[in-house]
Amino acid sequence: MAERRVDAVLLDIDDTLVDTRGSFRAAMHHVVGRWMPHLDDARREDAVLHWARDPRGHYRAYTRGETTFSGQRRLRGTDLHATFGGPVLDDEAFARWEEGYEAAFRAAWAARPDAVALVDALDAAGLPYGALTNMEGGYQRAKLDAVGLGRLAVLGSMDDLGRGKPDPELFHLACRRLGSEPARTAYLGDEVDVDARGARDAGLLGIWFDAHGTGADPGDVPVARSLAEVPALLGVGPVPAPGDGAPGSRFGAGLPGR
């Protein structure tokens, strides 16, 4: 086994532990079916990617504390409709739009493959861990509970500072709550700049999770192509094989299915 590199681990949630892109797809298919039925299958997929990529940066503005969560969602919905030929959303229409989106989004929450196995490996290694997210803490708590990852504590969120990653203060706050020094703490997330580089610049070991299989190599931060690779990067051994997991894990008693 490689030498252990860290004493604790912080984990991103969306598109790292949870398949948020899949949930976006389900929510967008609902939105398109209800509000833009003229789109064919290819354009529906374009709408999914447009929503996930948020080209106008409305979600990033939320994480900087410049707008509310509902405000960024409405701006993104308005941009989506303008781009793909949907109707104008007044207050009443947006309330119905958001209600339908949220119901479809929540119904599709699911853990990413090997997410539970990764947490099992951290448990087996005796490494403290927790989640750090650019979302409201209660919302993410419900998400983790729903996908079978309720053992993770949410140690940092938008509730704490009114702004999120890559602000180093949020990384440092999460480390304090975890009881670890930044230099001996790893952070894993799916965004190169916000997650891996943000963590590195805050003094942590920032690891980029290539969640969507781009094959890109940033060159300045370690890369995990799958969650199964993460324990080796931390120097704590492989992900447990099927049947070797902790009780209640996907490899033990099974995993219940934003």
Side-chain angles (χ1 to χ4, degrees):
M1 182 185 296
E3 180 182 356
R4 181 177 293 191
R5 303 180 65 185
V6 297
D7 298 325
V9 182
L10 290 166
L11 300 163
D12 179 44
I13 296 175
D14 290 306
D15 277 327
T16 299
L17 296 174
V18 176
D19 179 16
T20 304
R21 182 69 62 89
S23 300
F24 281 158
R25 181 169 286 106
M28 282 297 100
H29 283 184
H30 167 82
V31 165
V32 168
R34 168 66 179 82
W35 300 93
M36 291 170 276
H38 60 280
L39 296 184
D40 60 19
D41 289 344
R43 289 294 281 165
R44 287 186 180 210
E45 185 61 21
D46 289 342
V48 171
L49 295 176
H50 185 90
W51 182 263
R53 291 169 179 161
D54 184 22
R56 298 187 184 277
H58 296 305
Y59 193 84
R60 291 286 180 94
Y62 163 65
T63 66
R64 294 191 300 267
E66 297 169 5
T67 186
T68 64
F69 179 73
S70 184
Q72 65 80 28
R73 185 176 277 180
R74 181 162 187 173
L75 289 169
R76 290 170 73 188
T78 298
D79 178 49
L80 181 81
H81 279 228
T83 302
F84 292 93
V88 174
L89 296 171
D90 60 19
D91 291 349
E92 182 180 352
F94 176 70
R96 288 184 280 114
W97 188 102
E98 187 171 38
E99 181 180 14
Y101 173 95
E102 186 67 21
F105 189 53
R106 286 176 177 260
W109 285 347
R112 288 189 61 90
D114 289 329
V116 174
L118 171 59
V119 179
D120 286 346
L122 298 179
D123 276 331
L127 276 179
Y129 56 81
L132 173 59
T133 177
N134 275 2
M135 264 289 293
E136 297 170 356
Y139 192 93
Q140 297 295 68
R141 172 79 273 146
K143 187 182 297 178
L144 290 171
D145 289 344
V147 304
L149 290 166
R151 72 183 106 159
L152 275 88
V154 178
L155 299 177
S157 71
M158 286 293 294
D159 300 328
D160 291 305
L161 304 176
R163 58 189 186 277
K165 304 168 293 183
D167 191 313
E169 289 188 44
L170 192 59
F171 287 105
H172 295 164
L173 174 64
C175 287
R176 290 195 298 273
R177 289 174 173 171
L178 196 54
S180 62
E181 293 296 323
R184 294 291 299 173
T185 306
Y187 182 76
L188 175 74
D190 67 292
E191 294 188 74
V192 176
D193 54 348
V194 169
D195 290 323
R197 290 179 180 139
R200 177 202 63 193
D201 293 347
L204 290 73
L205 171 63
I207 302 172
W208 177 49
F209 173 39
D210 184 13
H212 305 298
T214 68
D217 183 1
D220 59 340
V221 290
V223 180
R225 304 297 176 189
S226 73
L227 294 182
E229 296 179 8
V230 174
L233 288 174
L234 302 176
V236 299
V239 164
D244 294 338
S249 78
R250 182 165 67 90
F251 298 112
L255 173 70
R258 181 179 75 171

